[in-house]
Structure formats: C-alpha cells, structure tokens
Amino acid sequence: MVSTDAVRNVVGIIGNVISFGLFLSPLPTFIKIWRKKAVEQFSPIPYVATLLNCMLWVFYGLPIVHPNSILVVTINGTGIVLEGAYLTIFFLYAPKDLRLKVLKFLAGELAFMAVVVSVVLTVGHTHEKRTMMVGILCVIFGTCMYASPLTVMKMVVVTKSVKYMPFWLSLVSFLNGVCWTAYALLKFDIFITVTHFFSDN
C-alpha cells in the first residue's frame, strides 16, 4: 500500500510543475514589453503581490517555521527569482512615476518581511506558534495575490478586450489552486488549504 506521504510528495511535485507554469504564464506579456520597450497599460500590481506571497511561503516552508515543507520552499523560491526578473523588465520600461511607485511597493514589502521574520523568530518559541503566525499571513497575502489580477477587470470592461487579462494566467491559477488544495488535504495543512481553496473560487 502506498503511504500518504508518498502520494503527497507526488502531488506536491505536480504542484511544483503547475506552479512553475503559473510563474511562466506572464512571460508573453514581458516579451511584449521588452520588444515594444513600453509597459503600455499593464499593471505591476499582480507581480508585486506575487513576489510578497512567494517570500512569505518560502519563510513558511523553512525548517525553523514549518518542517518538512521543502516543496513549498522550492517552488516559491523559483517564484521569487521569476517575479524579480519580471519586475526588473517592468521597471526598465515604465515611466518615471510608475518606477517610483514600484520602488515604494518593493521597499514596503522588504521592510514588512524584515518585521515579520523578526517578530516570528522572537515571539514564536515553537514550530506550532511560528507556523500559525506565518500561515495566517500567507492566507491573507495569498488571497490578495489571487485577487490581484482583478485590478485589470475595469480595463477589460472598458475596452471590451481581454488583452490585459491573459487566459493562460487565469487557467493555470485555477489548476494550481486545485493541485495545492489536494496536497494540503493529504496531510492536513489548514493554511495551504484555505489559501488555495479561495484561488479555486
């Protein structure tokens, strides 16, 4: 008989592959930005939100917070690298006022992460407390990440075009949520379950 841990690892690996697809789904957008040397009406908000989400999940998956979560760390570490690359391209071709806005968001995120790490490691004296503290933040900001593409909905309605809301991003986000919900339910992890349940709906 196959153990729950073995099944969970397989589902987690599939989740890593699908999540990698999710992180790659904005690539056509950034190739367009690179070629046109202009960001046009594309919003940096989804990428800034995803970067913060990835940083929180990497912290959550570290052995000092939530042991045995290497699959959570690997894919979100990859997400940090890719979102950083996307934001660098966006920054290079954005107008000055938008660059300053992105810089303020990134500075705020780094300051926020520094505070989170300091507080969790100072106050949380057990894995359970650290898991709960970081997990709650992951749920809050994970939900924000999945909601961030909605910032372009007004543009979709006004222009009557889905140009600024890529189909593949929506599809891969849904598949990602399904896979990680299954992963979380195999060895119940309330924080992964809640975050990805909301991404499915």
Side-chain angles (χ1 to χ4, degrees), residues 85-153:
Y86 296 150
L87 286 168
T88 299
I89 293 168
F90 194 93
F91 185 82
L92 288 173
Y93 297 111
K96 187 177 178 181
D97 58 332
L98 194 51
R99 284 183 191 179
L100 289 173
K101 188 177 179 182
V102 171
L103 277 177
K104 286 177 186 175
F105 278 132
L106 293 176
E109 285 186 358
L110 291 175
F112 175 75
M113 281 305 299
V115 169
V116 168
V117 170
S118 299
V119 169
V120 168
L121 296 180
T122 303
V123 176
H125 299 295
T126 64
H127 284 113
E128 290 75 21
K129 284 183 183 175
R130 291 175 182 171
T131 295
M132 186 181 72
M133 292 169 74
V134 182
I136 289 169
L137 291 173
C138 286
V139 168
I140 293 167
F141 290 98
T143 303
C144 291
M145 181 194 82
Y146 286 112
S148 65
L150 297 176
T151 60
V152 298
M153 283 303 293

Side-chain angles (χ1 to χ4, degrees), residues 139-196:
V139 168
I140 293 167
F141 290 98
T143 303
C144 291
M145 181 194 82
Y146 286 112
S148 65
L150 297 176
T151 60
V152 298
M153 283 303 293
K154 180 181 176 188
M155 200 174 304
V156 170
V157 172
V158 170
T159 63
K160 297 182 180 166
S161 167
V162 293
K163 177 183 176 184
Y164 300 108
M165 187 175 176
F167 167 76
W168 291 110
L169 181 60
S170 301
L171 177 63
V172 178
S173 291
F174 173 75
L175 294 174
N176 182 58
V178 169
C179 193
W180 284 105
T181 299
Y183 173 85
L185 291 173
L186 283 165
K187 190 175 180 182
F188 192 66
D189 185 320
I190 185 67
F191 301 111
I192 295 175
T193 303
V194 171
T195 300
H196 291 92

